Amino acid sequence: MFIGRKKELEILSDFYNDTDAGILCVTGQKGMGKTTLLKEFAKDKKHIFHISYPTTDAGQMMLFSRSVEEFTGTVDFANTSNLDKLKKEYSEAYSLSELLSDIKRTAEGDKVLLIIDQYYDFVKADSSYEKTLHEFLMENPENNNIKLIVCGDSFLAMDKYVLSKKSIWKNDKVTEIHLKAMGFYEASEFYPDKTAEEKAFLYGITGGIPAHLQNVGENVKDTVSSLFLDGDNPSTAMPEDTMSIDVREPANYNRMLIAVAQGNNRVIQLSAVVNKPKDVIVPYLKALMAIDVVEKNNAITEKNNRKKTRYGIVNTNHLFWYRYIAPNIDMYYNGKLKDSYEELIAPELSDFMKIVFINICKEYIRKKADAGKMPFTVDEVGNWWENDEEKRTTAGFDIVSLGKCNEKPCTVFARCYYSGEPIEMATLKDLIEMTKHVKAEGDVFYIVFSKSGFHENTLTVAGAIKNIMLITLDDVVTL
């Protein structure tokens, strides 16, 4: 059963119904469900779905001809009488122009989706393929009924061949879908019967990545084991697979990501841990940002303050891997990590889940505000902190949102607690006190999110003040 991706399906539908010539490009890391999304969209439409393979020009055309022949009805892969046809030699000559003409002839004026997966492998086989496709689709208005969709795992290759100012499509109408991990609420549709705490944890360890979501087990323990502790499970290598597509020297990137996952989120810290100068660290970080593995954060009210620049791993599935598994990769490969899980990983899970909970709460604030169920609107969600260089400590908020209340600017300050204890009044006072360090505009709102609820005195005080909100994990999950 296909779950989610409603917005992406709407974009695909608009592209399909557009009468103008154009191309749609789907990008996203491996495992985000690009192929699954396109197959779902194409299932009730005339289409050719071709998955490219890195091979020679003759080999590429042999494979593409099979995809076309399946569409035209000249070959039936389930029919053994076609065995000889399927055994064509790579050396046989094929013409892309002729195959495109076959598509046009078979379409008979009806709309047809021409989907080329791993597009860069297709066009790298022969430099003329790009030009042939472009001429056929963009320079012949009578072919507007053939809608080209391309996708691929490599950010850099898809940018080079489709999205950049140097690509052959640079002057054409290009629709882009950048497929990211699912949000908490969309991901939760994969396991609707789990408890609130289980849903939060499963979202954290899967990172909202569809390839992992569809493999969630009967219980949390089984899912952790299959995703992270089983050295024979190839899906666990996803973070390395993601990077190896686009970067050279993966060893240096892996080392840096382990350092980031362990809390070294500033350039000066990374330089010391990785033992490389800062002018080497920064290009590595930029490369990881370009492929959506690392993100750069600044205090939301001080975006140009370089002293407050921090870096973090985008996806919590990757964060879990580089924080707990990669440093113990020898035990993982030897099958010993399962036996050491309770000792090495379990005691630190509350720290990991704090990060997951913050991400979920950010989504909650935005979603609830967009639905008009908050006393404010949300224009931007981030955070704020201040560094004490002498004590080497950081203090601040988990979430700061900028928006409007009654058409005037407002600021929302929030902290998120994923502990086993209800929140005391002192915690609420600390949040309010910290806001004095920030220059806030307009009305100010305070939110405390808590996994384990609140003490009665905290509820009593907050209930008497209209700009304070206390929200539990159950409240968040049952939005």
Side-chain angles (χ1 to χ4, degrees):
M1 180 178 69
F2 185 83
I3 295 175
R5 301 302 194 192
K6 293 179 181 178
K7 180 180 179 181
E8 290 80 5
L9 287 171
E10 288 177 2
I11 295 173
L12 284 164
S13 184
D14 289 343
F15 169 76
Y16 179 77
N17 293 321
D18 193 341
T19 57
D20 293 335
I23 177 176
L24 188 142
C25 176
V26 183
T27 60
Q29 293 174 355
K30 184 177 179 181
M32 292 300 172
K34 299 181 295 297
T35 301
T36 302
L37 170 68
L38 294 177
K39 285 185 175 179
E40 172 68 17
F41 180 70
K43 67 181 183 182
D44 58 351
K45 302 172 181 65
K46 286 187 175 182
H47 69 275
I48 299 100
F49 201 112
H50 177 68
I51 301 178
S52 304
Y53 178 77
T55 183
T56 63
D57 55 344
Q60 201 66 256
M61 283 300 96
M62 185 278 291
L63 295 171
F64 187 58
S65 72
R66 291 184 183 178
S67 298
V68 174
E69 287 166 352
E70 186 176 18
F71 169 71
T72 61
T74 55
V75 64
D76 180 1
F77 288 100
N79 190 336
T80 55
S81 65
N82 286 293
L83 187 60
D84 291 338
K85 191 174 187 64
L86 297 177
K87 288 183 176 179
K88 291 179 178 178
E89 296 295 331
Y90 269 32
S91 59
E92 288 191 35
Y94 292 91
S95 165
L96 178 57
S97 295
E98 290 176 350
L99 291 171
L100 293 172
S101 296
D102 285 347
I103 295 172
K104 176 181 179 180
R105 186 165 47 253
T106 304
E108 296 180 337
D110 293 337
K111 281 188 179 179
V112 174
L113 289 172
L114 173 55
I115 302 171
I116 304 179
D117 203 346
Q118 304 300 77
Y119 174 72
Y120 41 82
D121 285 331
F122 186 85
V123 294
K124 281 195 290 186
D126 190 312
S127 59
S128 69
Y129 292 168
E130 281 185 299
K131 185 178 180 181
T132 301
L133 275 170
H134 189 268
E135 289 179 350
F136 181 81
L137 295 169
M138 301 299 157
E139 299 177 21
N140 295 284
E142 68 274 15
N143 296 332
N144 285 359
N145 60 308
I146 299 173
K147 311 292 289 184
L148 177 62
I149 298 177
V150 298
C151 73
D153 295 333
S154 170
F155 283 96
L156 302 184
M158 293 303 290
D159 181 73
K160 175 182 177 180
Y161 289 107
V162 183
L163 302 172
S164 75
K165 294 180 180 180
K166 294 183 179 180
S167 85
I168 198 168
W169 310 95
K170 62 182 181 295
N171 296 320
D172 300 301
K173 185 177 182 180
V174 178
T175 302
E176 183 183 1
I177 295 177
H178 178 46
L179 210 58
K180 295 189 175 185
M182 290 181 169
F184 171 72
Y185 297 100
E186 194 172 40
S188 295
E189 295 179 34
F190 282 82
Y191 33 81
D193 299 327
K194 303 295 185 184
T195 67
E197 194 169 341
E198 286 173 335
K199 285 181 179 180
F201 185 68
L202 288 170
Y203 179 66
I205 62 172
T206 62
I209 298 173
H212 294 328
L213 289 169
Q214 64 185 5
N215 290 317
V216 167
E218 288 295 321
N219 55 61
V220 169
K221 187 175 180 180
D222 288 344
T223 304
V224 172
S225 182
S226 64
L227 289 182
F228 296 105
L229 306 181
D230 187 355
D232 295 325
N233 184 351
S235 69
T236 54
M238 183 77 73
E240 284 85 352
D241 286 351
T242 296
M243 285 196 306
S244 64
I245 293 169
D246 277 320
V247 302
R248 298 177 181 177
E249 302 177 354
N252 288 325
Y253 288 99
N254 284 332
R255 181 68 190 92
M256 186 172 299
L257 286 167
I258 290 172
V260 174
Q262 292 174 338
N264 301 286
N265 52 27
R266 301 171 65 187
V267 171
I268 190 170
Q269 292 173 322
L270 290 168
S271 176
V273 172
V274 181
N275 196 27
K276 288 186 179 293
K278 289 187 287 186
D279 59 353
V280 172
I281 295 293
V282 171
Y284 275 116
L285 289 170
K286 287 182 177 179
L288 290 169
M289 289 166 59
I291 60 175
D292 213 19
V293 172
V294 162
E295 62 185 352
K296 179 180 178 180
N297 296 300
N298 289 94
I300 195 169
T301 58
E302 303 175 55
K303 293 180 181 178
N304 296 321
N305 187 342
R306 293 186 178 182
K307 292 183 179 180
K308 289 192 177 182
T309 297
R310 302 194 300 198
Y311 296 87
I313 295 175
V314 172
N315 192 279
T316 52
N317 173 270
H318 297 176
L319 173 63
F320 191 101
W321 175 267
Y322 282 108
R323 185 166 180 168
Y324 303 117
I325 311 303
N328 302 298
I329 200 70
D330 56 333
M331 299 175 67
Y332 168 78
Y333 286 135
N334 292 330
K336 296 179 179 179
L337 200 53
K338 286 184 180 180
D339 298 331
S340 303
Y341 176 80
E342 294 297 331
E343 178 184 350
L344 288 176
I345 299 175
E348 297 187 12
L349 284 180
S350 60
D351 290 339
F352 169 75
M353 283 306 301
K354 169 71 180 292
I355 297 171
V356 175
F357 193 40
I358 291 171
N359 290 341
I360 295 172
C361 294
K362 284 181 180 179
E363 188 177 347
Y364 171 89
I365 290 174
R366 187 177 287 279
K367 199 173 184 71
K368 193 133 183 174
D370 288 348
K373 296 180 180 180
M374 285 291 196
F376 50 80
T377 61
V378 171
D379 297 327
E380 190 175 359
V381 178
N383 51 21
W384 183 93
W385 62 92
E386 59 182 2
N387 301 315
D388 187 326
E389 300 295 348
E390 186 176 329
K391 295 181 180 179
R392 295 182 178 273
T393 59
T394 297
F397 308 99
D398 298 316
I399 303 172
V400 177
S401 169
L402 304 179
K404 290 183 175 60
C405 177
N406 297 323
E407 301 303 318
K408 295 180 180 179
C410 73
T411 307
V412 181
F413 298 99
R415 278 184 174 169
C416 310
Y417 297 91
Y418 205 82
S419 66
E421 298 295 328
I423 299 302
E424 301 259 10
M425 187 60 209
T427 302
L428 182 57
K429 290 181 178 179
D430 183 56
L431 168 63
I432 296 172
E433 185 67 26
M434 177 58 70
T435 61
K436 296 178 182 179
H437 296 242
V438 187
K439 185 178 180 180
E441 291 190 55
D443 291 336
V444 174
F445 295 88
Y446 309 96
I447 304 178
V448 178
F449 292 95
S450 171
K451 174 188 131 181
S452 302
F454 304 87
H455 276 288
E456 188 174 340
N457 62 341
T458 312
L459 291 168
T460 301
V461 172
I465 306 174
K466 66 179 181 179
N467 63 337
I468 295 178
M469 286 171 269
L470 305 181
I471 301 171
T472 67
L473 174 62
D474 285 334
D475 295 331
V476 171
V477 171
T478 58
L479 172 67

